[in-house]
Each structure stands twice: as structure tokens, then as C-alpha cells.
């Protein structure tokens, strides 16, 4: 790991650990400390006032956010700032987030339509969206906000605009895929954290006169869990590497799909090992597992990415998949 | 904790050229075959193809030139292997010698053993089998009973090995033998290089459930070998066999054994697949892509001189599960018109894999043993 990444992850780990100690703190008190640390400008160049980080750095930070069950759009804000800069649009004012889905149209520089399930959409001032080959920059002062929530209670708001001023620029940035990458990183972190908690619990919980970790059946369950967590961590890091080398649409799709599969299985195994205590409000496990439940559907479900990837692979033909896999990794 | 810290797979330059060379070689030298014979191809033996590979410099790629090797980078070797496996080339004859026996002799063998055997292994002419399992020693390898007793300048070896892949084709066996009578478990074990034409060696076939002949029983009846047949120090056998395991467990053969069925599924589904098949192709691709990253990362760690035993166990278990699930998932997604009696490439490769894939999580360490290793790595044992 590079020195700058170590510095970055040390900072993130410290800050997210502090914030995790107060999981019920209001967002208005949480966000300023994250903004102050500069994570929003993670992907911006140093000449743009940013950290000069790459997708590997973003993976590392979003992964830590996931492992601490952080209730804040750290990754969304970083991607929003990056997308606005790349597309040459006005930088964000205050908190910026990204919309996973756009339903509407732009006419004469004005947007009419809705952005569904936008993470912290109501708290953000600026929302960035991908629409018909363009990137849109919208202000939430111009919209109606309908509150929605993920299973764990994070805001997933629907924002409805009517003839709102929209800055737009042609762009090939796919914010759905970028969001999928963020959720992959968070799932990777949350699975590792839930695994660590499950191992610790299995080592301390005594039944039949010994820690339950000494039973082979529990050991095998935790081994399966570790394999799933390893798969997502590997997929996410490989996707980041591909993004740092060039276009990573294939890798973002494959990594989110693999993460979705592991999220479901990992959460179930964590609860199985924890027994009834993990099912209580008091025990912190649910902060991870309820997020995992939501993240699987966000920025592309299993079916969505499987279908998109499957059509693409089918289009390559029977002898086309392997050369494409090889070509993509050789270019990285 | 981070369960898998990816190690970048950064081979030296020239990978695209190398891939082109290997693909041209396969197109030229591999026998034209149907999909079913491209499945599980590292168990398919073809001496002519192995000799052609030897001539082309694709066996013993990383070994020193003085022993017939080609002094190539280990990750270039990895690229060659994955190309061969993805194409379904019949690499079974020399696979074990190239993967395990050669590296073992390089690390622990005498100069004489290296000079005698490595050049002909690299030429694709000498094949080796691994004498580890015994009737009473499968997953519990440390309970082996085959006994070696000092006899003048040499040894007399008696006992029985079983599930010995390719013993009917190989000229040599590297056998794990108990050389200290009454020694416990993994103590007192020594490896020997035994030519299979030595008097007292009997090889008998074990036919598998589809009628195939990969396995054998090997009987050792008072087999006399000189001390120069010993590989490594006396009593060092356990350490030597466990050192081979990371090499054995994380290679591309641990997730590509069923790749031929995915190729046939893509052919069957066509360029504009119905949704259920598109979803299946997408999911299998995501899993394949992920496993390739994991296997490559582990190969890169090995190449950097680390021993990623835990990662290797993870790759093998996940890879074997994928190889086994792939034909089942495809079978489940086909409609009733395509039952397994249909004489198509897809159904033939499915039928074969559905029958032989149970062995994938047995060979090279069972699923239960691997998960035990992973559990130990997690601090549970």
C-alpha cells in the first residue's frame, strides 16, 4: 500500500471509529467532520484543490465506511465532485450526492422529472445525475422532497423537479456504475467487519462446555463466510485497479454482482453465528447486516447487472469471452 | 481485518504477444476435439501434445536453462497455463510434473536428480505421479503406513498407494514413505523418487464412475531403491509435501475445469439471449472474473516469494464450488426440450461435468480439509 493511501486510510479509520461511537447522532452533526477531513475532494487532482486520489483510494475509504457502518454519503459526495469536475460543470455547493435513477427530460436547460431513492437527497444541496449521455447538475432548492429510507433508516429520497434549472454537459460517466462500485466497497468492508465480529463472538460464547468456535460445524460456517468476504474484497480491488487503468464498466458490473451475492449470504451467516443476541436492537451487528440488506438492491440488483453483463458477454460470442477477459486485464 | 488483500498481477512486458503465441500454438498443435473433451482438460492425457508443448518451451518454463527449463517469469507461466485451460487443451500428461514434481526436485533434489529428470520432464517426455494417498490415509495424510527400511546403501520400500493419478502413464512416482518405524503422524516421513519399472512395483487401474481411467492403485512390494532416490533429507517429507500445496491449490485449473460448458452455453444462447439465459451468463461471468482475480493475486504472491497458504485454500474451495455449480445451474436453466440424452455439444459437456465434477472438491484436498485450513487461518483452531 502506498504511503499516501496509508495516511488516508488511517485518517478515515480514526474518524469513522469516532463517528461509529455515536450511531444516532444527527446527520447535521456528523457531516461537518467528514467534510472538514476533505473526503469529498478525494478524487480531485491536487491542482483542483483535491487529494489527488485514485479509485483504489476511494475503494479503501468507502470500504472503511462500510466496515464502520457509517451513516453518511462519503463515497457519493466524492463521486459527485469528481463527475462535476470531469464534465466541466460548476463545482458543488455544500453536500453533493448522486442519483441512481432519473425519470424525466431536459428541455431548454430545464429539468422536469424525478430522481428516485437518492442517498441523502434531502440533505444535499447539489445532486448529480446521468441522463441521456449527459451529466446533470441540479439544486435541491428547486425540488419537492419525498423522504424515503433504506432498511436501516438511511435517507433514500425522491426528488421531484418541475422546469428546474439544470446545468448539463455531455459525458460518458455512468453514475449508476460508480454507485455500484461504492456499494461494492461498502459491502466488502461490512462483510469483513461482520466476519470479525462473528469470529470474536464464536471465540467467547461458551456452550456445551467450550467456545462454539471449537465446533467444526461453526468453523466451516465461518470459513464459508470468509470465502465470500474474500471474493468481494478481491473483486472490488480489481475493479478499482481497472478504473485506474481505463474504462471499467465491465469490472464495476461484475464486482457489484459478486458483492450482491455475497451480501445476502454473509449477512445470513453472521446472524446464524451470533444467535439470538445478534437479533437485538442493543447488539451492533444489525448496523452492518441491515445495511448489507439494502445495499444489495441499490445501484443495480443482481438481475440488473447479470442481465447487462450477460447480454454483453453473449454479444462477444462463445469464443469471445476469454480474449475479452484477458485483454481487459492485460491493459490494466 | 481484511480477508483478501489483493496483490497486483504485474507480469513483465510481452503478455499480449505471449498470449498470441500460445493461441497460435494451440490452434496448430491441439487435436480437434468436441466440447466434452475440452472440459476438465488438465485430466486429459495426450503424449503428442505434451511433447509439442515441450518443444515449444511451455513446460518447465520457470526452471533454469541448465536443467532444460526456460528461465521465464512465473507470471508468464501463469498466462500460458490459463490460455491452455481456457482453450481446453489436453495438458494432463505432464501437468503434475510441471506443477509440482519439477519444483520439488529443484528445491530439494540432488544435482544428479535434477540433471537426470528435469530436462526430459521439460521436454514433455517424462511424466510423474504423486504417491501420497493410501487406503488408510486420505484426508488424514499423516497416517500413511508405507514403510521404508535401510538396506545397505539403499532402501527397501513396502506398502500401497491409491488414487494415484496417471501412474499407468508416468515413468516416475514421488512417494511419501515412513522411514522411521513407529514414528508418529507427520514425523519420520521421507520422499523417494521411484521409477515405476523397478521390480516389486505393480500398478493396477481404478476405473471411475464414467468408465474413465485416471486413478490407479500402486503396490510396492519390497521395492529396492538406492539412497540416491531419496528426495530431500530423511524425515523432511511432511515439510516438503506441504510446501507443494500452495502451488497445487491456487492455479487456474481450480476454477476453469468447467469453462467449456460456459462457452457452450454462450453458443446455445446466441447473440441475443432470452432473459433467463442472459442473467445466468452474467452471473457465471461475474463469478469467473472474480475467481480469476483471486487466483492471479495468489499467483503474484507466490511469485513474490510469499506462501499464501490461506489464500490458496480460499481460491481452491471457491473455485471448486464454482466449477461444480456451473453445470448444475446451466442444466436448471435449460427448458425441457434439452434433456441430457440430446446429442448436442452443450448437453454432452453438461452430462460429463455433472458426473465427474464431484471429484473437483476431493482432488488436491477435500472441501472439508480446506475449510479447516481456512478456519485455522481465522484463528478458530
Amino acid at each position: 500500500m502506498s504511503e499516501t493511501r496509508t495516511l488516508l486510510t488511517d485518517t478515515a479509520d480514526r474518524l469513522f471509529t469516532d463517528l461509529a461511537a455515536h450511531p444516532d447522532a444527527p446527520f447535521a452533526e456528523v457531516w461537518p467532520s467528514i467534510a472538514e477531513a476533505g473526503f469529498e475532494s478525494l478524487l480531485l487532482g491536487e491542482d483542483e484543490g483535491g487529494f489527488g486520489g485514485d479509485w483504489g483510494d476511494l475503494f479503501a475509504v468507502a470500504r472503511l465506511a462500510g466496515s464502520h457502518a457509517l451513516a453518511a454519503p462519503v463515497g457519493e459526495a466524492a463521486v459527485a465532485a469528481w463527475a462535476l469536475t470531469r464534465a466541466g460543470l460548476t463545482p458543488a455547493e455544500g453536500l453533493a450526492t448522486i442519483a441512481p435513477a432519473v425519470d424525466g427530460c431536459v428541455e431548454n436547460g430545464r429539468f422536469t422529472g424525478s430522481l428516485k431513492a437518492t442517498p441523502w437527497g434531502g440533505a444535499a444541496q447539489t445532486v448529480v445525475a446521468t441522463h441521456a449521455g449527459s451529466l446533470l447538475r441540479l439544486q435541491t432548492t428547486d425540488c419537492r422532497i419525498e423522504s424515503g429510507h433504506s432498511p436501516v433508516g438511511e435517507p433514500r429520497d425522491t426528488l421531484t423537479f418541475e422546469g428546474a434549472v439544470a446545468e448539463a454537459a455531455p459525458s460518458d460517466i455512468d453514475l449508476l456504475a460508480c454507485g455500484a462500485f461504492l456499494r461494492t466497497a461498502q459491502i466488502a468492508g461490512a462483510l469483513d467487519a461482520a466476519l470479525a465480529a462473528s469470529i470474536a463472538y464464536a471465540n467467547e460464547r461458551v456452550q456445551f462446555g467450550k467456545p462454539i468456535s471449537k465446533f467444526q460445524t461453526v468453523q466451516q460456517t465461518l470459513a464459508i463466510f470468509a470465502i465470500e468476504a474474500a471474493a468481494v474484497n478481491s473483486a472490488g480491488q480489481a475493479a478499482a485497479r481497472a478504473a485506474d487503468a481505463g474504462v471499467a464498466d465491465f469490472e464495476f458490473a461484475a464486482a457489484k454482482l459478486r458483492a450482491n451475492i455475497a451480501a445476502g449470504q454473509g449477512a445470513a451467516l453472521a446472524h446464524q453465528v451470533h444467535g439470538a443476541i445478534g437479533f437485538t436492537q442493543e447488539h451492533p451487528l444489525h448496523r452492518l447486516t441491515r445495511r448489507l440488506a439494502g445495499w444489495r438492491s441499490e445501484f443495480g440488483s443482481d438481475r440488473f447487472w447479470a442481465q447487462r453483463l450477460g447480454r454483453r458477454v453473449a454479444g462477444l460470442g462463445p469464443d469471445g469471452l476469454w480474449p475479452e477477459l484477458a485483454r481487459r486485464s492485460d491493459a490494466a | 481485518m481484511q480477508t483478501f488483500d489483493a496483490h497486483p498481477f504485474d507480469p513483465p512486458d510481452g503478455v499480449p504477444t505471449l498470449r498470441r503465441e500460445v493461441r497460435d500454438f494451440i490452434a496448430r498443435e491441439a487435436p480437434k476435439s468436441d466440447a466434452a473433451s475440452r472440459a476438465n482438460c488438465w485430466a486429459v492425457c495426450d503424449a503428442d501434445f505434451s511433447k509439442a508443448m515441450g518443444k515449444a518451451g511451455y513446460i518447465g518454463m520457470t526452471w533454469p536453462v541448465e536443467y532444460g527449463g526456460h528461465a521465464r517469469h512465473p507470471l508468464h507461466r501463469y498466462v500460458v497455463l490459463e490460455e491452455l485451460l481456457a482453450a481446453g487443451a489436453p495438458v494432463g500428461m505432464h501437468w503434475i510434473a510441471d506443477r509440482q514434481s519439477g519444483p520439488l526436485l529443484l528445491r530439494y533434489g540432488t544435482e544428479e536428480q535434477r540433471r537426470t529428470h528435469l530436462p526430459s520432464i521439460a521436454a514433455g517426455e517424462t511424466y510423474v505421479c504423486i504417491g501420497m494417498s493410501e487406503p488408510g490415509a486420505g484426508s488424514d495424510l499423516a497416517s500413511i503406513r508405507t514403510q521404508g527400511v535401510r538396506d545397505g546403501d539403499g532402501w527397501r520400500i513396502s506398502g500401497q498407494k491409491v488414487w494415484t493419478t496417471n501412474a499407468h502413464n508416468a515413468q516416475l512416482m514421488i512417494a511419501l514413505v515412513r522411514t522411521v518405524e513407529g514414528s508418529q503422524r507427520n514425523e519420520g516421513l521421507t520422499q523417494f523418487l521411484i521409477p515405476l519399472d523397478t521390480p516389486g512395483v505393480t500398478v493396477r487401474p481404478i476405473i471411475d464412475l464414467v468408465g474413465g481411467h485416471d486413478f490407479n492403485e500402486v503396490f510396492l512390494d519390497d521395492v529396492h531403491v538406492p539412497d540416491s532416490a531419496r528426495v530431500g533429507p530423511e524425515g523432511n517429507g511432511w515439510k516438503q509435501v506441504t510446501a507443494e500445496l500452495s502451488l497445487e491449490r491456487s492455479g487456474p485449473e481450480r476454477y476453469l475445469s468447467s469453462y467449456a460448458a460456459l462457452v457452450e452455453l454462450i453458443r446455445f444462447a446466441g447473440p441475443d439471449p432470452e432473459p433467463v439465459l442472459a442473467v445466468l451468463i452474467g452471473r457465471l461471468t461475474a463469478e469467473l472474473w472474480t475467481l480469476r482475480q483471486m487466483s492471479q493475486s495468489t499467483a503474484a504472491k507466490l511469485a513474490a516469494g510469499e506462501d499464501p497458504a490461506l489464500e490458496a485454500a480460499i481460491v481452491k474451495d471457491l473455485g471448486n464450488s464454482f466449477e461444480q455449480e456451473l453445470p448444475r445451474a446451466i442444466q436448471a436453466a435449460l427448458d425441457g426440450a434439452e434433456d441430457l440424452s440430446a446429442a448436442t455439444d452443450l448437453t454432452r459437456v453438461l452430462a460429463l461435468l455433472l458426473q465427474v465434477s464431484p471429484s473437483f472438491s476431493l482432488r488436491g484436498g477435500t472441501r472439508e480439509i480446506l475449510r479447516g485450513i481456512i478456519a485455522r487461518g481465522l484463528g478458530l483452531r
Side-chain angles (χ1 to χ4, degrees), chain A residues 186-265:
Chain A
Q186 289 167 286
I187 290 169
L191 286 176
D192 276 353
L195 174 65
S198 301
I199 291 168
Y201 181 77
N203 278 331
E204 72 184 35
R205 170 69 173 165
V206 174
Q207 287 288 274
F208 305 101
K210 56 185 177 182
I212 61 169
S213 65
K214 298 301 162 200
F215 291 95
Q216 278 196 354
T217 181
V218 176
Q219 291 175 0
Q220 300 260 322
T221 296
L222 287 167
I224 296 167
F225 191 172
I227 290 166
E228 289 298 300
V232 182
N233 276 276
S234 179
Q237 289 171 81
R241 208 164 115 88
D244 284 326
V247 179
D249 48 352
F250 184 100
E251 289 80 2
F252 280 11
K256 176 61 160 63
L257 178 51
R258 189 63 187 81
N260 282 354
I261 295 166
Q265 195 172 1

Side-chain angles (χ1 to χ4, degrees), chain A residues 1 59 63 192-193 195-196 199 202-203 213-214 216 218-220 222-239 241 250-255 257-258 261 302-303 305-307 309-311 313-319 321-323 325-327 329-330 332, chain B residues 1-10 15-16 19 23 79 82-83 86 255-256 259 262-264 266-267 269-275 277-290 292-294 296-297 313-314 317-318 367-372 374-375 378-381:
Chain A
M1 203 187 288
F59 176 83
R63 182 185 165 280
D192 276 353
L195 174 65
I199 291 168
N203 278 331
S213 65
K214 298 301 162 200
Q216 278 196 354
V218 176
Q219 291 175 0
Q220 300 260 322
L222 287 167
I224 296 167
F225 191 172
I227 290 166
E228 289 298 300
V232 182
N233 276 276
S234 179
Q237 289 171 81
R241 208 164 115 88
F250 184 100
E251 289 80 2
F252 280 11
L257 178 51
R258 189 63 187 81
I261 295 166
D302 299 38
R303 174 180 161 150
W305 288 116
Q307 193 149 337
L309 200 57
R311 286 192 194 291
V313 169
L316 296 168
D319 301 319
L321 173 57
W322 184 262
L325 289 176
R327 185 189 67 75
S329 61
D330 290 349
Chain B
M1 74 182 289
Q2 182 156 2
T3 41
F4 205 97
D5 192 14
H7 197 297
F9 185 85
D10 280 328
V15 168
R19 288 195 197 281
R23 288 173 194 171
V79 166
E82 64 171 9
E83 287 294 330
Y255 75 94
L256 283 170
Y259 182 67
L262 177 56
V263 171
E264 293 313 312
I266 295 168
R267 197 187 313 279
D272 185 21
E274 57 175 308
L277 295 185
V279 163
L280 178 59
I281 292 169
R283 177 167 71 81
L284 294 174
T285 300
E287 300 203 40
L288 177 82
W289 173 82
T290 301
R292 182 163 181 257
Q293 307 308 319
M294 299 172 85
Q296 288 193 330
S297 168
I314 288 175
D317 190 31
L318 187 63
R367 168 168 295 137
E368 290 73 15
I369 291 294
L370 292 168
R371 289 183 182 169
I374 296 165
L378 297 176
L380 299 167
R381 301 175 58 196

Side-chain angles (χ1 to χ4, degrees), chain B residues 177-196:
Chain B
V177 173
R178 192 167 296 283
T179 48
V180 178
E181 199 178 349
S183 61
Q184 290 300 303
R185 306 289 302 158
N186 52 16
E187 307 281 323
L189 302 176
T190 305
Q191 283 186 297
F192 289 92
L193 190 58
I194 304 174
L196 289 167

